[in-house]
Coordinates of all heavy atoms in Angstrom, one line a residue:
G15 N 100.7 81.3 91.8 CA 101.2 79.9 92.2 C 102.5 80.0 93.1 O 103.6 79.7 92.7
A16 N 102.2 80.3 94.4 CA 103.4 80.4 95.3 C 104.2 79.2 95.5 O 103.6 78.1 95.5 CB 102.7 80.9 96.7
V17 N 105.4 79.2 95.5 CA 106.3 78.2 95.7 C 107.3 78.5 96.9 O 107.6 79.6 97.2 CB 107.2 77.9 94.4 CG1 106.4 77.5 93.2 CG2 108.1 79.1 94.1
V18 N 107.9 77.5 97.4 CA 108.9 77.5 98.5 C 110.1 76.6 97.7 O 109.8 75.5 97.3 CB 108.4 77.0 99.8 CG1 108.0 75.5 99.7 CG2 109.6 77.1 100.8
E19 N 111.3 77.2 98.0 CA 112.4 76.5 97.3 C 113.3 76.0 98.4 O 113.5 76.6 99.4 CB 113.1 77.5 96.4 CG 112.4 78.0 95.3 CD 113.3 79.0 94.4 OE1 113.9 79.9 95.0 OE2 113.0 79.0 93.3
Q31 N 108.8 65.8 97.4 CA 109.2 65.9 95.9 C 108.9 67.2 95.4 O 107.9 67.9 95.7 CB 108.5 64.8 95.2 CG 109.0 63.3 95.6 CD 108.3 62.2 94.7 OE1 107.3 62.5 94.0 NE2 109.0 61.2 94.7
G33 N 107.5 69.9 93.1 CA 106.2 69.9 92.4 C 105.1 69.5 93.4 O 103.9 69.8 93.0
G34 N 105.4 68.9 94.5 CA 104.3 68.6 95.4 C 103.9 69.7 96.4 O 104.6 70.7 96.5
K35 N 102.7 69.7 97.0 CA 102.4 70.6 97.9 C 103.0 70.4 99.3 O 103.0 69.2 99.7 CB 100.8 70.6 98.1 CG 100.2 71.0 96.9 CD 100.3 72.6 96.7 CE 99.5 73.0 95.4 NZ 99.7 74.3 95.1
V36 N 103.4 71.4 99.9 CA 104.0 71.3 101.3 C 103.4 72.3 102.2 O 102.9 73.3 101.8 CB 105.5 71.5 101.3 CG1 106.2 70.3 100.5 CG2 105.9 72.7 100.7
S37 N 103.5 72.1 103.6 CA 103.0 73.1 104.5 C 104.3 73.7 105.1 O 105.2 72.9 105.6 CB 102.1 72.3 105.6 OG 101.9 73.3 106.7
V38 N 104.3 75.0 105.0 CA 105.4 75.7 105.7 C 104.8 76.4 106.9 O 103.9 77.2 106.9 CB 105.9 76.8 104.7 CG1 107.2 77.6 105.3 CG2 106.4 76.2 103.4
K39 N 105.3 76.1 108.1 CA 104.8 76.6 109.3 C 105.8 77.3 110.1 O 106.9 76.9 110.3 CB 104.3 75.4 110.1 CG 103.5 75.9 111.4 CD 103.0 74.6 112.1 CE 102.2 75.1 113.5 NZ 101.7 74.1 114.2
Y43 N 102.6 82.1 111.3 CA 101.8 81.9 110.1 C 102.1 80.6 109.6 O 103.2 79.9 109.7 CB 102.1 83.0 109.1 CG 101.4 83.0 107.8 CD1 100.1 83.3 107.9 CD2 102.1 82.7 106.6 CE1 99.3 83.4 106.7 CE2 101.3 82.8 105.4 CZ 99.9 83.1 105.5 OH 99.2 83.1 104.3
E44 N 101.1 80.1 108.8 CA 101.3 78.8 108.1 C 100.7 78.8 106.8 O 99.7 79.4 106.6 CB 100.6 77.7 108.9 CG 100.9 76.3 108.4 CD 100.3 75.2 109.2 OE1 99.8 75.4 110.3 OE2 100.2 74.0 108.7
A45 N 101.4 78.2 105.8 CA 100.7 78.3 104.4 C 101.1 77.1 103.7 O 102.1 76.4 103.9 CB 101.5 79.6 103.7
T46 N 100.3 76.8 102.7 CA 100.6 75.6 101.7 C 101.0 76.1 100.5 O 100.5 77.1 99.8 CB 99.2 74.9 101.6 OG1 98.8 74.3 102.9 CG2 99.4 73.7 100.7
L47 N 102.2 75.6 100.1 CA 102.9 76.0 98.8 C 103.3 74.9 98.0 O 103.3 73.8 98.5 CB 104.1 76.9 99.2 CG 103.8 78.1 100.0 CD1 104.1 77.9 101.5 CD2 104.6 79.3 99.5
T48 N 103.7 75.2 96.9 CA 104.3 74.1 95.9 C 105.8 74.2 96.2 O 106.4 75.2 96.2 CB 103.9 74.5 94.4 OG1 102.6 74.4 94.2 CG2 104.6 73.4 93.5
L49 N 106.3 72.9 96.3 CA 107.8 72.9 96.5 C 108.5 72.8 95.3 O 108.3 72.1 94.2 CB 108.0 71.6 97.2 CG 109.5 71.2 97.6 CD1 110.2 72.2 98.4 CD2 109.7 69.8 98.2
R50 N 109.6 73.6 95.2 CA 110.6 73.5 94.1 C 112.0 73.2 94.7 O 112.4 74.1 95.5 CB 110.6 75.0 93.3 CG 111.5 74.9 92.2 CD 111.7 76.2 91.5 NE 110.4 76.7 91.0 CZ 110.1 77.9 90.8 NH1 110.8 79.0 91.1 NH2 108.8 78.2 90.3
F61 N 113.3 79.3 100.7 CA 113.1 80.7 100.2 C 111.8 80.7 99.7 O 111.2 79.8 99.0 CB 114.2 81.0 99.0 CG 113.9 82.3 98.4 CD1 114.2 83.4 99.0 CD2 113.1 82.4 97.2 CE1 114.0 84.8 98.4 CE2 112.9 83.5 96.6 CZ 113.2 84.8 97.2
I62 N 111.1 81.8 100.1 CA 109.7 82.1 99.5 C 109.8 83.6 99.0 O 110.1 84.4 99.8 CB 108.6 82.0 100.5 CG1 108.6 80.5 101.3 CG2 107.1 82.2 100.0 CD1 107.8 80.5 102.4
G63 N 109.5 83.7 97.7 CA 109.4 85.1 97.2 C 108.4 85.9 97.9 O 107.4 85.4 98.5
Y66 N 103.6 87.0 96.1 CA 102.6 86.0 95.8 C 101.2 86.5 96.3 O 101.1 86.9 97.5 CB 102.9 84.6 96.4 CG 104.1 84.0 95.7 CD1 105.2 83.7 96.4 CD2 104.0 83.6 94.3 CE1 106.3 83.2 95.7 CE2 105.1 83.0 93.7 CZ 106.3 82.9 94.4 OH 107.4 82.2 93.8
E68 N 98.5 84.9 97.0 CA 97.8 84.0 98.0 C 98.6 83.9 99.3 O 98.1 83.2 100.1 CB 97.4 82.8 97.3 CG 98.4 81.8 97.0 CD 99.0 82.0 95.6 OE1 98.9 83.0 95.1 OE2 99.6 81.0 95.1
V69 N 99.9 84.3 99.3 CA 100.6 84.0 100.5 C 101.4 85.3 101.0 O 102.3 85.7 100.3 CB 101.7 82.9 100.2 CG1 102.6 82.7 101.5 CG2 101.0 81.5 99.7
P70 N 100.9 85.9 102.0 CA 101.6 87.1 102.4 C 102.7 86.8 103.3 O 102.7 86.6 104.5 CB 100.4 87.9 103.2 CG 99.4 86.8 103.6 CD 99.6 85.7 102.6
V71 N 103.9 86.7 102.7 CA 105.1 86.3 103.3 C 105.4 86.9 104.5 O 105.9 86.5 105.5 CB 106.2 86.2 102.3 CG1 107.6 85.8 103.0 CG2 106.0 85.2 101.1
F74 N 105.1 85.6 108.2 CA 106.0 84.6 108.9 C 106.9 85.3 109.9 O 107.5 84.7 110.8 CB 106.9 83.9 107.8 CG 106.2 82.8 107.1 CD1 105.9 83.0 105.8 CD2 105.9 81.6 107.8 CE1 105.3 82.0 105.0 CE2 105.2 80.5 107.1 CZ 104.8 80.8 105.7
S85 N 109.2 75.2 109.6 CA 109.2 73.7 109.4 C 108.5 73.6 108.1 O 107.5 74.2 107.7 CB 108.6 72.9 110.4 OG 107.3 73.2 110.5
V86 N 108.9 72.5 107.3 CA 108.4 72.1 106.0 C 107.8 70.7 106.1 O 108.8 69.8 106.3 CB 109.3 72.4 104.8 CG1 108.7 72.1 103.6 CG2 109.7 73.8 104.8
T87 N 106.8 70.4 105.9 CA 106.1 69.0 106.0 C 105.2 68.8 104.7 O 104.8 69.9 104.1 CB 105.4 68.7 107.2 OG1 104.2 69.6 107.2 CG2 106.3 68.9 108.4
G88 N 105.0 67.6 104.4 CA 104.0 67.3 103.4 C 102.7 67.8 103.7 O 102.3 67.8 104.8
A89 N 102.0 68.4 102.6 CA 100.6 68.9 102.9 C 99.5 67.9 102.8 O 99.6 66.9 102.0 CB 100.4 70.0 102.0

Side-chain angles (χ1 to χ4, degrees):
V17 298
V18 57
E19 298 176 325
Q31 292 186 341
K35 293 290 185 186
V36 295
S37 175
V38 179
K39 183 176 182 179
Y43 185 66
E44 183 173 355
T46 299
L47 301 101
T48 300
L49 177 63
R50 181 183 300 154
F61 174 79
I62 305 169
Y66 292 115
E68 69 273 24
V69 179
V71 174
F74 285 108
S85 63
V86 180
T87 58

